[in-house]
């Protein structure tokens, strides 16, 4: 069966005047199920509140747009209330309870990418809501709720009867929510647009890698991530993950072209990608991208907390490590052709600026 790697857009699952929740379906993007990967987006309007929930999957959240507040409760820990803004990456291990709130005029949009190998449905996240019409609170009988929380039956009926919304609600502007604390941010999140650069190539591009060094919590999630910002008309070197990891890529901004080459040298994907697209590169497949004139940014997760990549072009390429004799024999070409091949891209690394 041929792999379908075609990039896809997310589809709305539920929502209202407070915002909406979108997800990528494994039936439309089969590599989600094949790779045990889930992908979703939360979009909150002003005063939109995503009700407290926990998930069956460990995730990395990335703020695509806007600013707001995130409430996070790690198992048997106190609540952390984080100020979040565009560029923030947040590691969400198993068992964490989260809520999200937007008090600004600009829509708050958060991307979720994660591992569904232990989920109820491979390739999809399942959220368990603490409140709301589909919340756990409403699932128990009045007797059980009364006993568990030591409440009178009349109070229980009032609590259960007030749960009319699902997932996302719009709060009254007068509703007071917890104020975020800057000290809660440290160790819980990292802003990929402000963090020290791991790669910075003039006219080529920039990379910030999210790993256990700059955000130790990703070790508990079991995923690594990076934000790549490719300059206009620049190229990202062909490369592959050499530690059997899958690469899940969401195009944050701009557009460009992508090619993926797989088994037996077969080109399995050649297409244009644009903001909002999600696609997955299978294990050991080689991928390369070229940005359109306005450039292209993407956020990726890799299914290991400390990924290792092999690049096939540029100064650090595997070709540069091979001896000339091996190259001549492998390509079946005379020395002068091999020398032309080896003499190129001696200074450039990973990203190649557009030709003059």
């Amino acid at each position: 069966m041929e792999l379908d790697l075609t990039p896809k857009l997310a589809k709305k699952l539920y929502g209202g005047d407070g915002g909406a929740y979108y997800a990528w379906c494994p039936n439309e993007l089969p590599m989600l199920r094949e790779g045990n990967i889930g992908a979703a987006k939360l979009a909150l309007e002003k005063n939109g509140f995503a009700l407290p929930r926990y998930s069956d999957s460990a995730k990395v959240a990335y703020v695509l747009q806007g600013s707001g507040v995130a409430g996070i409760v790690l198992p048997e820990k106190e609540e952390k209330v984080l100020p979040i803004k565009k560029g923030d990456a947040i590691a969400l291990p198993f068992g964490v309870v989260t809520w999200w709130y937007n008090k600004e005029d600009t829509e708050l949009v958060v991307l979720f990418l994660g591992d569904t190998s232990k989920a109820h449905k491979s390739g999809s996240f399942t959220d368990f809501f603490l409140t709301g019409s589909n919340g756990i609170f409403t699932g128990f009988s009045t007797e059980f709720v009364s006993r568990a929380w030591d409440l009178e039956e009349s109070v229980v009926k009032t609590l259960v009867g007030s749960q009319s919304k699902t997932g996302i609600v719009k709060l009254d502007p007068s509703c007071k929510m917890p104020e975020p604390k800057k000290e809660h941010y440290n160790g819980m999140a990292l802003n990929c647009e402000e963090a020290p650069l791991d790669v910075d190539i003039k006219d080529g591009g920039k990379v910030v890698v999210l790993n256990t060094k700059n955000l130790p919590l990703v070790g508990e999630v079991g995923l690594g991530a990076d934000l790549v910002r490719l300059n206009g008309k620049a190229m990202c070197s062909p490369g592959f993950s050499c530690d059997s990891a899958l690469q899940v890529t969401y195009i944050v901004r701009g557009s460009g072209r992508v090619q993926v080459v797989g088994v037996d040298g077969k080109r399995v994907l050649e297409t244009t990608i644009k903001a909002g697209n999600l696609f997955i590169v299978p294990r050991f497949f080689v991928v390369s991208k070229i940005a359109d004139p306005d450039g292209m940014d993407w956020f990726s997760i890799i299914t290991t907390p400390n990924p290792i990549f092999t690049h096939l072009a540029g100064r650090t390429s595997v070709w540069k490590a091979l001896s000339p004799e091996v190259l001549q024999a492998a390509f079946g070409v005379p020395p002068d052709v091999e020398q032309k091949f080896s003499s190129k891209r001696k200074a450039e690394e990973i990203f190649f600026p557009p030709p003059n």
Side-chain angles (χ1 to χ4, degrees):
M1 184 178 72
E2 288 192 8
L3 289 172
D4 181 7
L5 304 182
T6 308
K8 301 291 184 182
L9 297 170
K11 290 192 173 181
K12 182 178 176 180
L13 294 188
Y14 62 84
D17 55 1
Y21 182 83
Y22 304 81
W24 282 265
C25 175
N27 292 334
E28 295 185 357
L29 192 57
M31 278 303 300
L32 289 173
R33 187 181 290 110
E34 296 259 346
N36 276 315
I37 297 294
K41 271 197 303 190
L42 173 68
L44 294 179
E45 302 293 340
K46 184 174 183 178
N47 297 317
F49 175 49
L51 298 175
R53 70 200 64 193
Y54 63 92
S55 176
D56 63 356
S57 305
K59 309 173 189 174
V60 172
Y62 181 74
V63 182
L64 296 169
Q65 176 184 302
S67 61
V69 182
I72 299 175
V73 182
L74 294 168
E76 300 185 353
K77 302 285 185 180
E78 293 184 354
E79 179 185 52
K80 302 278 189 181
V81 183
L82 282 61
I84 58 172
K85 65 179 182 180
K86 181 176 179 290
D88 278 339
I90 308 161
L92 302 174
F94 275 115
V96 67
V97 172
T98 64
W99 56 261
W100 310 81
Y101 176 60
N102 180 21
K103 60 180 179 180
E104 306 297 336
D105 291 329
T106 302
E107 186 179 45
L108 172 65
V109 183
V110 184
L111 173 72
F112 300 97
L113 301 174
D115 173 20
T116 65
S117 60
K118 298 179 181 178
H120 285 268
K121 300 175 183 177
S122 180
S124 299
F125 300 137
T126 299
D127 288 336
F128 294 82
F129 295 90
L130 301 191
T131 61
S133 60
N134 61 340
I136 292 171
F137 200 86
T138 58
F140 283 104
S141 66
T142 303
E143 177 195 1
F144 271 63
V145 174
S146 178
R147 288 281 301 274
W149 284 275
D150 191 22
L151 295 171
E152 295 178 1
E153 187 173 327
S154 60
V155 176
V156 173
K157 288 182 177 179
T158 300
L159 284 171
V160 174
S162 67
Q163 309 297 310
S164 60
K165 302 287 186 177
T166 301
I168 299 170
V169 300
K170 187 166 187 175
L171 300 179
D172 188 276
S174 64
C175 184
K176 187 172 177 61
M177 293 293 285
E179 288 296 322
K181 298 180 180 180
K182 290 184 178 179
E183 61 268 26
H184 286 179
Y185 182 91
N186 297 330
M188 296 294 296
L190 178 79
N191 191 281
C192 295
E193 295 186 359
E194 299 174 355
L197 296 170
D198 293 279
V199 177
D200 185 5
I201 296 174
K202 184 180 179 182
D203 299 324
K206 300 176 174 64
V207 182
V208 168
V209 178
L210 194 70
N211 54 34
T212 55
K213 293 180 180 179
N214 51 21
L215 190 61
L217 261 183
V218 300
E220 293 186 36
V221 175
L223 302 169
D226 59 23
L227 175 67
V228 179
R229 311 176 85 170
L230 194 61
N231 286 28
K233 296 185 178 181
M235 180 182 194
C236 182
S237 165
F240 65 93
S241 170
C242 57
D243 51 5
S244 76
L246 286 164
Q247 188 174 359
V248 186
T249 299
Y250 176 86
I251 306 301
V252 175
R253 184 197 66 84
S255 60
R257 291 176 291 143
V258 62
Q259 291 186 0
V260 178
V261 176
V263 179
D264 293 328
K266 183 178 180 181
R267 190 185 310 150
V268 293
L269 181 66
E270 180 177 13
T271 191
T272 297
I273 44 179
K274 61 182 180 180
N277 280 153
L278 183 90
F279 71 99
I280 300 174
V281 179
R283 294 177 175 89
F284 303 112
F285 282 36
V286 180
V287 60
S288 183
K289 309 178 191 76
I290 297 177
D292 285 341
D294 290 335
M296 182 169 60
D297 301 349
W298 64 84
F299 183 79
S300 297
I301 64 162
I302 303 94
T303 55
T304 178
N306 295 295
I308 302 172
F309 287 95
T310 292
H311 291 277
L312 300 180
R315 184 178 62 83
T316 58
S317 127
V318 65
W319 294 116
K320 300 298 183 188
L322 292 171
S323 61
E325 294 82 2
V326 171
L327 288 176
Q328 290 174 38
F331 279 122
V333 295
D336 62 319
V337 176
E338 180 277 321
Q339 287 171 5
K340 287 180 180 179
F341 177 79
S342 299
S343 65
K344 301 293 184 179
R345 301 290 188 207
K346 283 193 170 182
E348 299 94 338
E349 191 174 348
I350 302 179
F351 301 132
F352 310 137
N356 295 326

